[in-house]
Amino acid sequence: MADKAVSRRQCANAIRALSMDAVQKARSGHPGAPMGMADIAEVLWNDFYQHNPGNPGWFNRDRFVLSNGHGSMLIYSLLHLTGYDLAIEELQQFRQLGSKTPGHPEYGYTPGVETTTGPLGQGLANAVGMAIAEKTLAAQFNRDGHEVVDHHSYAFVGDGCLMEGISHEVCSLAGTLNLGKLIVFYDDNGISIDGEIDQWFADDTGKRFAAYGWQVLSVDGHDPDAIGSAIEQARLESSRPSLISCKTIIGFGSPNKQGTAATHGAPLGDDEIAATRAALDWPHAAFVIPVEIKQAWDATEKGFSAESAWKEKLVCYEEEYPELAMELVRRIKGQLPGHFSAKADAYISQCQQSADDIASRKASQNCIEAFASLLPELIGGSADLTGSNLTTWSGSTPISERANGNYIYFGVREFGMTAIATGIALHGGFVPYTATFLIFMEYARNAVRMAALMKQQSILVYTHDSIGQGEDGPTHQPVEQLASLRITPNMSLWRPCDHVETAVAWKAALERHDGPTALVFSRQTLVHQQRNEEQLAGIPRGAYILRDCEGEPEIIVMATGSEVAICAEAIATLQSEGIKARLVSIPSVDVFESQDVAYRESVLPPAVRKRLAVEAGAVDCWRKLVGLDGKVIGMESFGESAPGPVLMEHFGFSANNVVDTAKSLL
């Protein structure tokens, strides 16, 4: 600590005061957790946490995640006190529109906040992803005497985080992967919103984590010396993640409310705050931090020195390993290699020339084979469906076998997998991809939403994309999932119709840096579509004319994925009967809608009001493209159990039905 005359308790009380004052001013919030965890945070941030308030993005900083994000005033207090660009006025505007202090920590709003933590447990999952990224990147780049990637991932969690099932998924995997630089602090205060938790959460948490393969330590969460000793012990353990179970009193310092649910999610009230100030011997006015306490917290000089020392290490590393250093910097910046785009385009042209009829999941694997060799930052895996999702390539090396690998066997953990991938993306240095059946996106739905909310580049590979999945029946056949993904802000979705569109979709996902991309692939074989150069150039624009007629069309048929080939057959029939019909392939609705008006109207002329959309999914999202005079052939029920081709015919996905429906429009 900078000033020994200032006690640890005074420093911790600064957090307590700021937290209760901000919540009271907002008349909304959660003062209990920040007040209860203040002593733990003080020891960690003042004695161990490696960071630079002057440069929140310094790459070799430790990562700190407040998974119990409702206690957001804890991290806002820490950031303000240690010198980040978070003025006291921002704390006074807690939970207000336009402030840097939203109700839960949000990535991109507040300097120093590493991830958005609203839904409980996902911050913990993100921290596991960060720890995976650190360990793997260190193994790929560090050399003897040159540890240029060397930092810890710390997470604070509450009872709610550990009740959520995602905590089991990710902590089980963390133990299996020996993430020794992951240290989690459990705020064991025995209270949640409904009161004392022993009625609904009686787990032996220590034994649970020991069974995962973690080091488990227990301390009094209000004893700084014990907390410091536990952190030191956790940092010495290199092969196991550590759980430090901290027995705390929620709302510590509040004479009449501490230890009760009354401090959890509501302001203390003016009278209780006055009583708390007296109990804590904190005579200062609201939002006033004495200079000596602020100086004791200030980490700007220490942070600048830490980053400067690391930069010196990086210079020495660059002198001995110039190519590695250049590659590391490129990956830290999130830049693709300069040659990638041209080589990807060459591969796309190769796919067009090959004319292969293959399932798009196999086409996806071919793309991974082609692109992963160009992009060492690509890391990913499947939720126990590697052989079905087809997500490995010839250079795949499991990180469970070699620390410097590039493939993760996630096990049956769709939710945890997706949130871990977001943590990897947030850490930097990698482009993560994950895979499962499209229907099991539902298990991961909230993690998908959080990736989109934070605009993180995460590639979501979803196979077995429709009722064409077949015999496994409606439990495995997606219907509403495409629509759900399409209406998610910041999400891009591609459902390609053949190998060529699959390659374009993968390239788009790899080049997109402002949100996740869902790549949706078929189990069944898809027919290769012939194209000219103009049509090939139209694929990256999300939609293009695949089959056209002479003059203005009487009807436009639009389709995605496996239904494109069905519609191509139907178009041929319609044209043979003298009907001017156009087929538009729309592999990505959102990309098409982002194009300029002139292009969109060249593909879908407003004057042509007879339109038919065909997709083996929910119909509602197509209404805006077909208009009032159009129709949609889609799914308006769940599926059935039968062979895929039988189901496609049964639900109307046949050339004959497309022809009949088109004629009915005319």
Side-chain angles (χ1 to χ4, degrees):
M1 293 175 61
D3 186 350
K4 297 296 183 181
V6 176
S7 71
R8 287 193 177 279
R9 181 51 58 85
Q10 286 175 301
C11 285
N13 286 346
I15 296 173
R16 295 184 172 103
L18 288 173
S19 298
M20 66 182 184
D21 289 341
V23 170
Q24 185 65 29
K25 186 173 188 298
R27 300 194 180 281
S28 173
H30 300 73
M35 295 174 73
M37 297 192 81
D39 295 307
I40 308 165
E42 187 278 319
V43 175
L44 175 64
W45 277 60
N46 276 324
D47 292 2
F48 297 96
Y49 188 52
Q50 176 178 267
H51 64 126
N52 181 9
N55 180 17
W58 167 38
F59 188 74
N60 202 45
R61 69 193 183 279
D62 289 335
R63 288 358 185 229
F64 175 78
V65 175
L66 183 69
S67 187
N68 46 342
H70 53 271
S72 56
M73 272 308 304
L74 175 64
I75 193 168
Y76 298 149
S77 299
L78 289 165
L79 294 170
H80 169 72
L81 291 167
T82 54
Y84 284 78
D85 181 19
L86 193 66
I88 194 67
E89 289 78 13
E90 295 290 348
L91 276 64
Q92 292 170 334
Q93 291 301 306
F94 178 56
R95 291 190 162 216
Q96 305 309 303
L97 182 64
S99 77
K100 295 181 181 179
T101 52
H104 288 74
E106 293 192 37
Y107 176 81
Y109 280 66
T110 316
V113 168
E114 301 284 1
T115 182
T116 300
T117 51
L120 293 177
Q122 283 201 63
L124 174 57
N126 295 160
V128 171
M130 293 171 187
I132 289 173
E134 192 278 340
K135 180 178 180 179
T136 307
L137 201 68
Q140 291 179 357
F141 284 96
N142 288 352
R143 296 296 182 267
D144 288 344
H146 296 278
E147 293 189 341
V148 290
V149 180
D150 181 17
H151 49 267
H152 285 77
S153 298
Y154 298 103
F156 280 12
V157 305
D159 293 301
C161 295
L162 299 187
M163 287 186 227
E164 290 286 359
I166 192 173
S167 68
H168 164 68
E169 294 184 27
V170 302
C171 293
S172 170
L173 185 61
T176 302
L177 295 178
N178 307 122
L179 301 180
K181 287 187 176 177
L182 173 64
I183 300 175
V184 174
F185 298 81
Y186 167 36
D187 181 25
D188 182 13
N189 60 41
I191 297 292
S192 65
I193 291 175
D194 281 348
E196 297 181 8
I197 64 170
D198 54 4
Q199 296 182 60
W200 52 86
F201 187 53
D203 300 14
D204 188 325
T205 300
K207 288 182 179 178
R208 171 186 164 190
F209 275 77
Y212 293 150
W214 288 52
Q215 173 181 229
V216 178
L217 307 169
S218 298
V219 298
D220 177 348
H222 302 297
D223 181 342
D225 292 336
I227 296 165
S229 296
I231 296 173
E232 289 175 352
Q233 189 174 343
R235 286 166 58 91
L236 289 171
E237 174 56 68
S238 61
S239 62
R240 293 181 295 169
S242 295
L243 177 76
I244 303 178
S245 183
C246 306
K247 197 65 182 175
T248 62
I249 300 172
I250 191 171
F252 182 93
S254 171
N256 302 301
K257 294 185 177 183
Q258 68 176 15
T260 72
T263 69
H264 187 285
L268 297 181
D270 292 332
D271 291 344
E272 187 65 14
I273 284 178
T276 302
R277 278 187 151 76
L280 294 176
D281 192 21
W282 187 267
H284 318 292
F287 298 105
V288 172
I289 304 297
V291 173
E292 63 274 14
I293 293 178
K294 190 71 186 298
Q295 289 175 342
W297 269 107
D298 188 11
T300 52
E301 185 176 337
K302 183 169 63 174
F304 177 81
S305 298
E307 182 176 357
S308 298
W310 178 75
K311 286 180 177 178
E312 291 176 9
K313 282 186 179 182
L314 198 59
V315 169
C316 296
Y317 179 72
E318 186 177 11
E319 290 174 353
E320 192 162 347
Y321 302 100
E323 292 184 2
L324 273 177
M326 188 180 303
E327 178 71 0
L328 176 61
V329 170
R330 177 187 73 78
R331 287 173 57 173
I332 288 174
K333 290 181 177 179
Q335 299 172 341
L336 294 178
H339 59 260
F340 173 74
S341 184
K343 290 191 175 183
D345 287 340
Y347 176 73
I348 292 167
S349 296
Q350 177 186 327
C351 292
Q352 182 60 46
Q353 294 164 13
S354 68
D356 292 331
D357 292 351
I358 57 175
S360 54
R361 63 169 175 164
K362 178 58 181 175
S364 170
Q365 185 176 44
N366 293 345
C367 292
I368 296 172
E369 183 72 37
F371 296 153
S373 60
L374 305 175
L375 302 173
E377 59 264 47
L378 196 60
I379 186 170
S382 167
D384 200 49
L385 289 169
T386 294
S388 294
N389 299 144
L390 302 182
T391 43
T392 53
W393 62 291
S394 61
S396 291
T397 303
I399 64 171
S400 51
E401 296 177 8
R402 283 177 49 189
N404 64 348
N406 57 11
Y407 195 79
I408 305 172
Y409 287 107
F410 284 102
V412 188
R413 301 181 176 100
E414 294 88 356
F415 190 7
M417 169 183 72
T418 308
I420 285 171
T422 301
I424 292 173
L426 287 161
H427 178 277
F430 291 100
V431 176
Y433 68 95
T434 55
T436 187
F437 291 173
L438 177 57
I439 190 65
F440 298 138
M441 179 278 291
E442 294 294 347
Y443 276 133
R445 184 68 185 88
N446 199 261
V448 171
R449 183 178 190 270
M450 297 302 290
L453 194 152
M454 289 187 271
K455 299 182 179 179
Q456 290 304 294
Q457 184 184 23
S458 184
I459 300 174
L460 310 169
V461 176
Y462 296 129
T463 69
H464 298 60
D465 66 347
S466 71
I467 57 169
Q469 211 288 67
E471 293 86 344
D472 281 336
T475 63
H476 282 52
Q477 294 164 7
V479 171
E480 70 275 27
Q481 286 66 40
L482 291 170
S484 175
L485 288 164
R486 283 190 179 119
I487 64 172
T488 302
N490 305 327
M491 172 66 67
S492 185
L493 182 142
W494 290 77
R495 186 175 182 241
C497 76
D498 66 0
H499 198 167
V500 181
E501 288 189 359
T502 299
V504 173
W506 259 105
K507 180 174 185 276
L510 290 164
E511 292 182 337
R512 182 172 186 257
H513 300 287
D514 59 350
T517 302
L519 303 179
V520 182
F521 301 125
S522 73
R523 175 193 184 189
Q524 68 269 36
T525 297
L526 303 185
V527 178
H528 173 80
Q529 300 297 319
Q530 292 297 328
R531 301 174 181 84
N532 58 34
E533 288 300 316
E534 182 180 359
Q535 291 169 323
L536 195 62
I539 301 174
R541 306 189 77 167
Y544 61 102
I545 302 168
L546 183 58
R547 300 286 180 266
D548 210 359
C549 57
E550 292 292 333
E552 185 173 275
E554 298 172 72
I555 186 169
I556 295 174
V557 178
M558 56 192 85
T560 76
S562 55
E563 292 75 74
V564 170
I566 293 169
C567 292
E569 184 182 342
I571 289 291
T573 299
L574 291 168
Q575 291 180 350
S576 71
E577 296 179 9
I579 296 173
K580 293 182 178 181
R582 168 182 291 181
L583 173 59
V584 174
S585 177
I586 310 185
S588 180
V589 175
D590 60 277
V591 172
F592 177 60
E593 291 180 338
S594 72
Q595 303 301 306
D596 60 85
V597 173
Y599 180 76
R600 282 185 278 131
E601 292 188 349
S602 72
V603 176
L604 300 176
V608 182
R609 302 182 64 180
K610 304 299 183 182
R611 299 180 181 183
L612 173 62
V614 185
E615 184 178 66
V619 300
D620 286 352
C621 64
W622 290 102
R623 305 272 188 213
K624 60 183 175 181
L625 289 178
V626 300
L628 295 175
D629 295 326
K631 289 187 177 181
V632 182
I633 298 175
M635 293 295 295
E636 299 190 71
S637 69
F638 294 117
E640 298 287 349
S641 183
V646 174
L647 289 178
M648 295 297 275
E649 181 80 26
H650 173 74
F651 284 103
F653 301 102
S654 66
N656 287 339
N657 189 47
V658 173
V659 169
D660 291 344
T661 306
K663 287 181 178 179
S664 74
L665 280 170
L666 296 171

